[in-house]
Amino acid sequence: MAHIQTIKQIAKYKADLNQKFIVAGLYQNDKLTPLSQSIDKNAGQIKAAIDSGDFKGKIGENRTFYISGNTIVIIGLGKEENFDADTARKVAGQASRIAIQRKTDNILIECFGGDEYSQAVGEGAVLGSYQFLDYKTKTKDKFELTNASILGGNEDAIQKGFAIGKAVCLGRDLGNHPGNVSTPSHLAKVAKDIADEGKMKLTIFDRDKIEEMGMGGLAGVAQGTEEPPKFIILEYFGADDKAEKPKILVGKGLTFDAGGISIKPGGKMDEMKFDMCGSALVLGVFQAIASLKPKINAIAIIPSTENLLGAKAYKPGDILTAYNGKTIEVLNTDAEGRLILADGLSYASKHYDPEFILDFATLTGAVLVALGHIATGVMGTDESLMDRVKTASKNTDEKVWEFPLWPEYCKQIKSEIADVKNLGAPSQAGSIAAGAFLKEFVGKDIPWVHFDIAGTAWGGKPNSIEPKGSATAWGVRLVLDLLNV
Ligand code: BES
Ligand code: MG
Ligand code: ZN
């Protein structure tokens, strides 16, 4: 939990503000931001650096000045006409990063770009401050930025950005913890904390109940592990009309994926601790809901287990019966995510009358081949819901790309001896096959979009708001935008 814990908004800059470390901006056309101007009024040092041609204000550039006993860092904001929320978020993140490098905890950040970017600046300051230090025991390796002030901007929007940033950090922590810590029981405990804070109803089914209820997908995958599986349900009814149709989020909570009997190769297998990032995204969203208390009805559903191998493990050729009664021929035990999601989607469809269902899963290596670490693959059954997803994606700069779920693809998951099989056609369209499989478990007429986050949940190029080697909690911001939180 190493990130900014409190943000204070300061309405006006006063030169005698006891703030030793100040971060302000410069646009690429030599234009100082309001805070840079106030600071440089008498000293003229910043102007001198610009005039010398040494400091151009490009994105990523920064210079330090020492003025009236304060350390002033000026960050390049790029061209003013190109400035947008994404830039505001990233430069605010850079400000936090610089404070951490310099080991200072008394930082004042300008609300770059003005009031309309307040939320993005609040988010960026927190995201840039995120570090995963829980397993570093030497204090010299650690410096945590815990407080920041933001000058200017809109107080409510800054605090909203702060709450969203914290929710993303929670999602990252869940992903970054190793598989021996971030277990299904751990996810259940975090869900309990969120439920307590947000006055939500929490229901958890354990192994016996999962088997008794006929959740054959989750029960099948969980056969190979002694770690207790969990089926977690969080219910939040915040709309004025409690009967308003809820929005349902389903997240893959596979806390370690060895592949099962169809075991994975050893290289990078450690990364399969991230196979619960779908559930981390959903819990991150619900953490933000708990703190912001929006007027919506929303349900989280998380099927969670490990996928290991052993004497009791499920095997290629086994046939499982999912919660909606459909039979599944297992041709590869490593295609396990779709099996546990089958029960999550069936449960959501049977027990609620949702406005829509969204599911999130690190589901296929194939999506990484198609889109790299840049975009999440999405597919679904409802055009207008897909349009809302794409709009939220643009608003938050979390990129998605749609794949088709045409009947030709959907036929590829039909089984000779059961209703469906957990593989598509050999060596082709692997991400679509997984989507086509999931579609079988979504109730007819329920708008649904599936997000395959296997490329975006970790592993991308680091930047000022995405630390190296960390889970990203990709999608928390997109989904909150979509839900109008
Ligand atoms: N968790 C993996 C998907 C994955 C692979 C995520 C690599 C991130 C990086 C999933 O359970 C899986 O193993 N999928 C298989 C499916 C295949 C057997 C049809 C895959 O993609 O190889
Ligand atoms: Mg797998
Ligand atoms: Zn998996």
Side-chain angles (χ1 to χ4, degrees), residues 315-320 328-333 417:
K315 305 170 292 297
D318 285 359
I319 295 180
L320 308 174
I328 307 167
E329 183 186 12
V330 176
L331 290 178
N332 187 319
T333 62
I417 58 169

Side-chain angles (χ1 to χ4, degrees), residues 252 257-259 264 272 275 307 333-337 363:
K252 174 178 172 183
D257 183 11
K264 286 183 181 295
M272 284 299 121
D275 210 17
N307 185 26
T333 62
D334 197 12
E336 85 299 335
L363 209 57

Side-chain angles (χ1 to χ4, degrees), residues 182-473:
S182 222
T183 56
S185 307
H186 181 73
L187 298 183
K189 188 192 161 295
V190 172
K192 165 94 173 64
D193 295 343
I194 294 171
D196 289 348
E197 184 182 340
K199 299 195 171 42
M200 301 174 188
K201 183 175 170 208
L202 174 69
T203 308
I204 295 173
F205 301 142
D206 59 15
R207 191 189 293 272
D208 287 348
K209 184 80 178 164
I210 290 164
E211 287 171 5
E212 182 197 312
M213 289 181 72
M215 296 187 167
L218 178 56
V221 177
Q223 269 171 229
T225 177
E226 287 180 16
E227 192 67 50
K230 304 282 173 192
F231 189 91
I232 303 165
I233 306 155
L234 272 172
E235 296 175 300
Y236 172 78
F237 288 97
D240 290 331
D241 178 2
K242 305 292 175 233
E244 192 179 292
K245 289 184 174 201
K247 304 161 200 311
I248 305 191
L249 310 183
V250 180
K252 174 178 172 183
L254 211 292
T255 58
F256 187 76
D257 183 11
I261 298 292
S262 318
I263 191 169
K264 286 183 181 295
K268 291 198 182 179
M269 203 206 266
D270 58 296
E271 292 189 355
M272 284 299 121
K273 70 170 186 176
F274 291 125
D275 210 17
M276 36 58 70
C277 282
S279 66
L281 183 164
V282 171
L283 288 172
V285 168
F286 272 68
Q287 170 61 62
I289 291 175
S291 59
L292 294 167
K293 306 208 168 44
K295 288 183 180 266
I296 59 169
N297 295 337
I299 314 287
I301 294 179
I302 296 172
S304 182
T305 181
E306 297 180 324
N307 185 26
L308 299 187
L309 48 162
K312 291 189 187 160
Y314 79 135
K315 305 170 292 297
D318 285 359
I319 295 180
L320 308 174
T321 305
Y323 188 61
N324 72 347
K326 287 196 183 175
T327 53
I328 307 167
E329 183 186 12
V330 176
L331 290 178
N332 187 319
T333 62
D334 197 12
E336 85 299 335
R338 63 198 78 183
L339 303 176
I340 71 170
L341 287 171
D343 289 330
L345 293 166
S346 302
Y347 187 92
S349 304
K350 179 170 175 192
H351 293 273
Y352 301 94
D353 177 20
E355 179 191 337
F356 58 71
I357 302 176
L358 307 176
D359 79 73
F360 306 90
T362 46
L363 209 57
T364 65
V367 80
L368 191 63
V369 176
L371 301 173
H373 293 294
I374 310 293
T376 286
V378 289
M379 51 215 103
T381 48
D382 186 270
E383 221 177 294
S384 79
L385 178 61
M386 186 59 85
D387 285 344
R388 287 168 70 185
V389 167
K390 289 176 183 169
T391 303
S393 164
K394 289 208 177 80
N395 290 345
T396 53
D397 199 48
E398 295 197 307
K399 294 184 171 53
V400 298
W401 192 256
E402 186 179 357
F403 296 147
L405 277 184
W406 292 322
E408 292 87 336
Y409 291 116
C410 293
K411 280 191 202 127
Q412 296 181 340
I413 50 111
K414 297 289 171 203
S415 158
E416 297 283 342
I417 58 169
D419 296 329
V420 286
K421 56 188 165 89
N422 75 337
L423 289 185
S427 310
Q428 52 183 291
S431 304
I432 298 180
F437 179 94
L438 296 180
K439 183 169 170 281
E440 297 284 328
F441 302 90
V442 179
K444 217 170 136 288
D445 303 328
I446 300 176
W448 159 76
V449 171
H450 158 58
F451 292 68
D452 191 336
I453 58 171
T456 46
W458 78 95
K461 195 164 168 268
N463 61 40
S464 66
I465 55 170
E466 301 280 0
K468 188 164 166 242
S470 169
T472 58

